[in-house]
């Protein structure tokens, strides 16, 4: 008799079968969790959405056409996709084909991409943040912010994170911020450990941070000292299988420089 799981077009356990094709079907965000009366408003604020591209989703697929499929690869691919901030859900299933192999069907649902934040002070807007969590469907988070400085300068900043780069599951992040006091500039690129099926992970980063550090005095106002800190790091780690266990070995290089200001100040509501 022919088992149901062996009928072409039905879902099967893919263990050992050769992957004949991979089909990726990204879908727009679902608004079913919103109250019916708010769905039109939610779509209007969402929103200028571009469905995730096949390439962006494919960066996280562990299976390859022409190679044997394993249930662990299928399950881990599904789990990794669900981990991505720009995706709300993902399903990965193996479907029998007519040649005795399997076709991998990947279906994803995008997360609602709008990034919005508003902070009030004395019932008036004091800071605004707005952006998109999936720019052009590329798995790119991009947000900008502006903040009233009151006695200080107006603060501005931009924050960007690409969750896939060059068709690989690499994470590239960039932050440039000039708040009313201090500043931050950072750039990082890395390949995190997503799964035990992965052998290596690596990371490199540079940060330039300027902050005011406060010191409490027995009497009088707290003193603050401007401190600029520049630091970098470069690291790589590899996983080794030892029977049923895993061991990790790697190296991390880091360096930095701290430069304090020549004198302390008092950070008050009316300025320095």
């Amino acid at each position: 008799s022919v088992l149901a799981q062996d009928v072409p077009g039905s879902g099967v356990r893919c263990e050992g079968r050769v992957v004949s094709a991979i089909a990726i079907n990204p879908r727009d965000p679902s608004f079913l969790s919103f109250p019916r009366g708010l769905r039109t408003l939610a779509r209007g604020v969402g929103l200028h959405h571009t469905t995730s591209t096949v390439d962006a989703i494919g960066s996280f697929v562990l299976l390859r056409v022409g190679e044997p499929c394993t249930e662990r690869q299928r399950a881990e691919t599904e789990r990794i996709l669900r981990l991505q901030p720009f995706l709300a859900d993902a399903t990965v299933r193996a479907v029998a084909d007519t040649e005795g192999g399997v076709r991998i069907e990947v279906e994803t649902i995008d997360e609602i991409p709008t990034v919005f934040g508003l902070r009030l002070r004395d019932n008036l807007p004091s800071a605004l943040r707005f952006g998109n969590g999936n720019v052009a469907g590329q798995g790119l988070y991009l947000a900008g912010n502006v903040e009233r400085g009151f006695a200080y300068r107006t603060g501005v900043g931009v924050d960007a994170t690409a969750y896939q780069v060059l068709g690989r599951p690499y994470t590239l992040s960039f932050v440039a911020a000039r708040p009313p006091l201090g500043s931050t500039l950072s750039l990082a690129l890395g390949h995190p450990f997503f799964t035990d099926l992965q052998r290596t992970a690596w990371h490199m980063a540079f940060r330039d941070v300027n902050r005011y550090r406060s010191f409490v005095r027995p009497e009088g106002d707290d003193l603050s000292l401007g401190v600029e800190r520049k630091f970098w790091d470069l690291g790589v780690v590899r996983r080794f299988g030892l029977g049923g266990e895993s061991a990790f070995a790697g190296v991390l290089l880091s360096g930095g420089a701290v430069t304090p200001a020549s004198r302390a100040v008092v950070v008050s509501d009316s300025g320095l």
Side-chain angles (χ1 to χ4, degrees):
S1 60
V2 178
L3 299 178
Q5 62 264 32
D6 289 330
V7 175
S10 67
V12 299
R13 287 184 59 83
C14 71
E15 201 71 43
R17 303 191 186 197
V18 174
V19 177
S20 59
I22 299 176
I24 299 176
N25 181 25
R27 294 191 175 184
D28 288 343
S30 171
F31 293 88
L32 295 179
S33 60
F34 282 78
R36 187 178 298 274
L38 296 179
R39 290 178 191 172
T40 301
L41 175 63
R43 290 190 180 95
V45 200
L47 300 138
H48 299 288
H49 173 69
T50 301
T51 308
S52 293
T53 64
V54 170
D55 289 342
I57 303 300
S59 300
F60 302 95
V61 176
L62 301 176
L63 299 149
R64 297 289 182 267
V65 174
E67 297 182 3
C69 174
T70 69
E71 275 298 303
R72 191 177 181 192
Q73 285 177 313
R74 184 202 61 77
E76 284 292 273
T77 294
E78 186 174 90
R79 185 184 63 81
I80 292 170
L81 287 171
R82 289 177 177 177
L83 282 175
Q84 303 313 307
F86 61 95
L87 296 178
D89 198 7
T91 302
V92 180
R93 61 194 293 259
V95 177
D97 63 19
T98 57
E99 304 297 327
V102 290
R103 183 177 70 255
I104 302 300
E105 295 184 350
V106 180
E107 184 174 297
T108 62
I109 298 177
D110 286 354
E111 187 61 85
I112 296 172
T114 297
V115 177
F116 179 79
L118 179 65
R119 190 166 73 240
L120 302 177
R121 177 174 172 178
D122 298 328
N123 296 321
L124 294 174
S126 62
L128 174 67
R129 183 176 184 83
F130 190 78
N132 190 309
N134 192 7
V135 176
Q138 295 293 328
L140 170 64
Y141 173 97
L142 180 62
N145 64 275
V146 60
E147 178 181 1
R148 291 177 62 191
F150 297 97
Y152 303 94
R153 68 192 181 197
T154 299
V156 293
V158 63
D159 183 357
T161 302
Y163 295 101
Q164 61 90 27
V165 179
L166 302 175
R168 300 290 297 165
Y170 302 153
T171 301
L172 175 65
S173 62
F174 171 77
V175 176
R178 196 192 73 158
L181 276 175
S183 63
T184 298
L185 177 65
S186 71
L187 181 65
L189 176 66
H191 186 194
F193 258 122
F194 286 122
T195 171
D196 285 345
L197 299 176
Q198 186 178 330
R199 285 290 182 182
T200 60
W202 51 269
H203 179 264
M204 60 179 71
F206 170 80
R207 286 174 62 85
D208 185 342
V209 180
N210 203 330
R211 291 284 187 271
Y212 282 84
R213 313 294 298 219
S214 296
F215 299 88
V216 179
R217 295 191 292 175
E219 297 180 0
D221 296 322
D222 295 350
L223 287 181
S224 296
L225 185 67
V227 178
E228 182 180 14
R229 184 184 180 197
K230 296 181 180 180
F231 55 99
W232 58 268
D233 68 79
L234 173 64
V236 61
V237 63
R238 182 172 176 84
R239 182 179 64 84
F240 300 90
L242 299 174
E245 304 297 330
S246 292
F248 297 86
V251 60
L252 174 66
L253 303 176
S254 63
V258 178
T259 306
S262 58
R263 63 192 180 100
V265 296
V266 173
V267 179
S268 72
D269 290 340
S270 59
L272 295 179

